[in-house]
Amino acid sequence: MTDSRVRLERLERILDVSRDLNSTVALAPLLHKIVEMAGELTDSEAASILLLDKRTGELRFRAASGDPNGQLKDVPVPVEDSIAGAVLLSDEPMIISDVRTDPRHYAGVARRVGRETHSLLAVPLRIKERQIGVVEAINKLRGDAFDQEDIETLNALAAQAAVAIENARLVEALRKANERLGELDRLKSEFIAIASHELRTPLSLILLYAGLLRERMEGSDDPQLDAVLRAAAQLRHIIETMLNLRHLETGEMELTPEQVDLCTEINEACHDHKPVAESENVTIRQSLPEERVIIEADREKLRLVLDNLISNAIKFADARGEVHVSLVPDSDVVEVRVRDNGIGIPEEELERVFDRFYQVEDHMKRRYGGMGLGLSIVRGLVDLHGGHVWAESVPEGGSLFVVKLPTTLPASLLAR
Ligand code: ADP
């Protein structure tokens, strides 16, 4: 075969290899493939990869062909006093025809794998301008020594390999970060389960005795006792929110369906929120159809959805704000729309506000209270009814939350 033909075949092989390398995202198998290819393409007895350990500043063997027992794995090689180190520092390939005469040769490696190194070719692995390691081919099998063509081949492979290694590292870092997030999420859920459970009993006692005290006072005013009752009711609301979330997460939340008149529910919800709205200078308006709109739903859970959306609308409305609750019935679906003229939600956050614990406002700069759980509960409850809920921006300012519910619960949901 002519030289140029051999060269072409090698390049074609590198192209093939690079496709394969790019589809391997796990680092260990990827490094293994790279050393196998390095050996094959340069016609060498063995090959290895050393990667720079950023923490210690040393090079470490990460994969080596002809090392079936993994004796070289993670063996450190000093950068200052080794051939691989010299290649890394100079950022230039190096051919050494007889390693044994080179004072930089690190004999510890030969001892570990029980194989003498004679000739050696090493090229740097780099991502853009940053050196990340070295690929070495050891002991040329045919011909006397490594040549310029071997350098080109190994360089081409190293360029592809470096990108694949970087990708695999990023994927690995992402997987680890995801794992950590998953663990944090699990701890948060566990904390919620324990806290809500443990707080419930003492709080019931506080509410019970404060209620008894109130009865004993037979109607005479006591602002301090009223403050205790208000604070306890607030705490109960927080605990119920945490319990609801827990039940939704574990699939323990079940529907108790009945025929619900939506106009009545909306009327009552708006009426209940009026005192708070008035204290905040917010007006609540309603647009309800003349005729009754009956749907099959769990009344209590539906009220929870309305309460969350209306209280958010009041909370985030402008000073002298307006909250508008409307009901739009269609043939077999209904839309409940809760709109406010407040601070609004940036376009890119419209979906994320339904995530657990998510709040648009940085919690260090919080102006509004809350735990970031209300909307995730709303979504969970609406899903449970076979409906959809989403948020929209109102062009003239403010937010719109739309809840779309079927008038009849799908049979598949009831059978759950
Ligand atoms: P919380 O209100 O307790 O923080 P939610 O889950 O109910 O939790 O809401 C999550 C976040 O979504 C809020 O912190 C707020 O940033 C944003 N949000 C919800 N409703 C509105 C609204 N009507 N207008 C503007 N932002 C809102």
Side-chain angles (χ1 to χ4, degrees), residues 378-392:
V378 164
R379 176 157 277 174
L381 293 174
V382 173
D383 283 351
L384 218 55
H385 282 83
H388 297 290
V389 56
W390 67 90
E392 294 177 16

Side-chain angles (χ1 to χ4, degrees), residues 26 90 121 124 166 184 248 273 309 318-319 325 340-341 361 374 397 409:
S90 66
L121 161 63
E166 193 71 351
L184 278 180
L248 276 168
H273 282 90
L309 294 181
D318 255 356
V325 185
D340 64 69
N341 65 343
E361 204 182 29
L409 286 173

Side-chain angles (χ1 to χ4, degrees), residues 97-136:
S97 44
D98 191 356
V99 169
R100 288 159 300 182
T101 61
D102 194 304
R104 293 166 299 185
H105 177 47
Y106 187 55
V109 171
R111 275 200 303 278
R112 275 177 195 262
V113 288
R115 181 192 319 111
E116 278 290 328
T117 306
H118 308 285
S119 51
L120 184 142
L121 161 63
V123 301
L125 267 172
R126 70 176 92 79
I127 294 283
K128 296 198 178 116
E129 301 305 309
R130 183 165 52 91
Q131 285 79 22
I132 62 165
V134 175
V135 187
E136 288 182 342

Side-chain angles (χ1 to χ4, degrees), residues 346-376:
E347 202 65 31
E348 65 279 8
E349 311 272 1
L350 286 173
E351 195 43 39
R352 293 196 67 187
V353 291
F354 292 96
D355 289 351
R356 283 177 311 157
F357 300 107
Y358 191 76
Q359 297 180 306
V360 173
E361 204 182 29
D362 181 343
H363 76 279
M364 302 299 283
K365 306 182 204 139
R366 296 292 302 279
R367 275 177 299 157
Y368 308 95
M371 292 189 288
L373 291 180
L375 288 179
S376 71

Side-chain angles (χ1 to χ4, degrees), residues 14 53 62 65 77 182 200 217-218 229 251 264 277 337 344 372:
I14 289 176
D53 183 335
R62 297 300 304 275
S65 63
V77 172
R200 210 159 44 156
M217 299 187 51
E218 288 167 353
L229 276 165
T264 308
R337 305 163 75 85

